[in-house]
Amino acid sequence: MTDTPPDRLSNDPRSPHYDADVLGRGIGIRFKGNERQDVEEYSVSEGWVRVALGKKMDRHGRPLTIKLTGEVEPYFLTSPESEEE
């Protein structure tokens, strides 16, 4: 596994951009210079994040999300060495 997070990642298992191994390592998101804990999906190349809109749900029981545009900087929370132990 590389030390660079993927360009696009989602925490929804139904998404084609879902990767359990990467999410298990832990991803932090810095959006417009601020740490965000509520990011559902992000794309670095397109410059957007998708965040939950409060506690609102759609008719299928999934959280409603809103797309915010700006500078996205993903980073790993743990190093690859700590995962091997």
Side-chain angles (χ1 to χ4, degrees), residues 33-70:
N34 297 324
E35 300 291 326
R36 296 292 303 241
Q37 304 296 325
D38 58 348
V39 175
E40 300 284 329
E41 185 174 3
Y42 73 84
S43 175
V44 176
S45 61
E46 296 175 16
W48 56 262
V49 295
R50 195 171 284 281
V51 297
L53 189 61
K55 294 187 177 186
K56 297 183 181 194
M57 299 286 197
D58 68 3
R59 63 183 181 195
H60 302 290
R62 294 179 287 220
L64 285 177
T65 60
I66 186 170
K67 185 188 272 187
L68 304 173
T69 58

